[in-house]
Amino acid sequence: MRDIEKVINDILDIDKTIASSLFNNVDYAWEVLPKIKDNIIAIGKSLDKDKYTEISDNIWIGNNVKIDKLATIISPCIIDDDTEIRPGAYLRGNVIIGKKCVIGNSVEIKNSIIFDCSQIPHYNYVGDSILGYHSHLGAGVILSNLKNDKSNIIIRNKNVNIETNLRKMGAIIGNNTDIGCNSVVFPGAIIGSNTNIYPLTRVRGVIDSNCIVKDENRIIEKENR
């Protein structure tokens, strides 16, 4: 990601989310995080009632969505077509889930956008984050969203520091990226597309697309394997 300003176009396919309108007129993907709640309500009110059902106030689900009776969904929330919400899932509000996603056992998500075909299947925490198309979190992956000192998140990329003016920000994860089991992603991490992260890895800062992260000190480009 040579130009962090291009993070949206470089790593996120905004055509793969019902929330594509949120990304209009922003320079950085994290700028949409404070706007999720109001936009869910606006999007929800405009949905085709023949294709989406409002099962409770400001909770809309698309066709063929499977929600286990032991899942918890807090308003506002949109769950798009053909997605499965498994037992013990906890959607804490301000959540947009794309088409053909899996949200699994003991997964907690709040104030986040999950693009189409993503999988978050086992014991994950996703706070104030954006997961791109066809991304995958292995079992136990945590996307931490708050620094220990509770100061605002700063994006650090080589010699460039960018103030987000956000106290809570998890990760932005690009299309087709896979994070291995029990990894911890630090607040404000940006991970490019088509990247693979080994299990038990601490992830911080900006990780380029098309990389393999073996640990926090060993990152190689896929074409140079």
Side-chain angles (χ1 to χ4, degrees), residues 49-104:
K49 292 182 180 179
D50 292 331
K51 296 180 180 179
Y52 294 86
T53 301
E54 188 175 9
I55 61 172
S56 186
D57 287 346
N58 296 319
I59 298 176
W60 293 272
I61 65 168
N63 294 327
N64 303 312
V65 171
K66 298 179 181 178
I67 302 175
D68 189 89
K69 64 182 180 181
L70 297 179
T72 300
I73 303 174
I74 306 298
S75 170
C77 180
I78 296 173
I79 303 171
D80 215 338
D81 300 342
D82 299 304
T83 281
E84 182 179 0
I85 310 296
R86 293 176 176 169
Y90 180 27
L91 307 185
R92 270 178 55 194
N94 307 339
V95 173
I96 299 173
I97 308 290
K99 295 178 171 64
K100 298 182 180 179
C101 292
V102 173
I103 310 299

Side-chain angles (χ1 to χ4, degrees), residues 8 14 20-29 31-32 35:
I8 297 173
I14 63 171
S20 59
S21 61
L22 273 73
F23 295 89
N24 294 332
N25 303 315
V26 298
D27 293 318
Y28 305 111
E31 292 176 7
V32 310
K35 305 175 182 179

Side-chain angles (χ1 to χ4, degrees), residues 38-182:
D38 289 343
N39 277 272
I40 289 176
I41 295 171
I43 292 169
K45 293 182 184 304
S46 69
L47 293 174
D48 186 338
K49 292 182 180 179
D50 292 331
K51 296 180 180 179
Y52 294 86
T53 301
E54 188 175 9
I55 61 172
S56 186
D57 287 346
N58 296 319
I59 298 176
W60 293 272
I61 65 168
N63 294 327
N64 303 312
V65 171
K66 298 179 181 178
I67 302 175
D68 189 89
K69 64 182 180 181
L70 297 179
T72 300
I73 303 174
I74 306 298
S75 170
C77 180
I78 296 173
I79 303 171
D80 215 338
D81 300 342
D82 299 304
T83 281
E84 182 179 0
I85 310 296
R86 293 176 176 169
Y90 180 27
L91 307 185
R92 270 178 55 194
N94 307 339
V95 173
I96 299 173
I97 308 290
K99 295 178 171 64
K100 298 182 180 179
C101 292
V102 173
I103 310 299
N105 176 42
S106 300
V107 171
E108 180 179 346
I109 305 177
K110 56 90 64 173
N111 198 59
S112 295
I113 301 173
I114 314 301
F115 281 40
D116 298 346
C117 299
S118 294
Q119 295 193 339
I120 311 173
H122 314 285
Y123 303 102
N124 307 108
Y125 176 71
V126 176
D128 302 278
S129 296
I130 301 169
L131 274 65
Y133 172 70
H134 210 275
S135 57
H136 175 262
L137 303 186
V141 171
I142 302 299
L143 306 186
S144 180
N145 64 337
L146 181 65
K147 294 168 64 175
N148 283 343
D149 64 4
K150 303 190 173 46
S151 61
N152 284 354
I153 306 297
I154 298 174
I155 307 299
R156 304 182 191 279
N157 184 33
K158 298 182 174 65
N159 296 322
V160 177
N161 293 337
I162 301 178
E163 297 276 357
T164 67
N165 298 312
L166 298 173
R167 191 171 70 95
K168 290 187 176 182
M169 175 187 164
I172 298 170
I173 298 174
N175 306 319
N176 301 300
T177 281
D178 195 314
I179 301 180
C181 296
N182 291 316

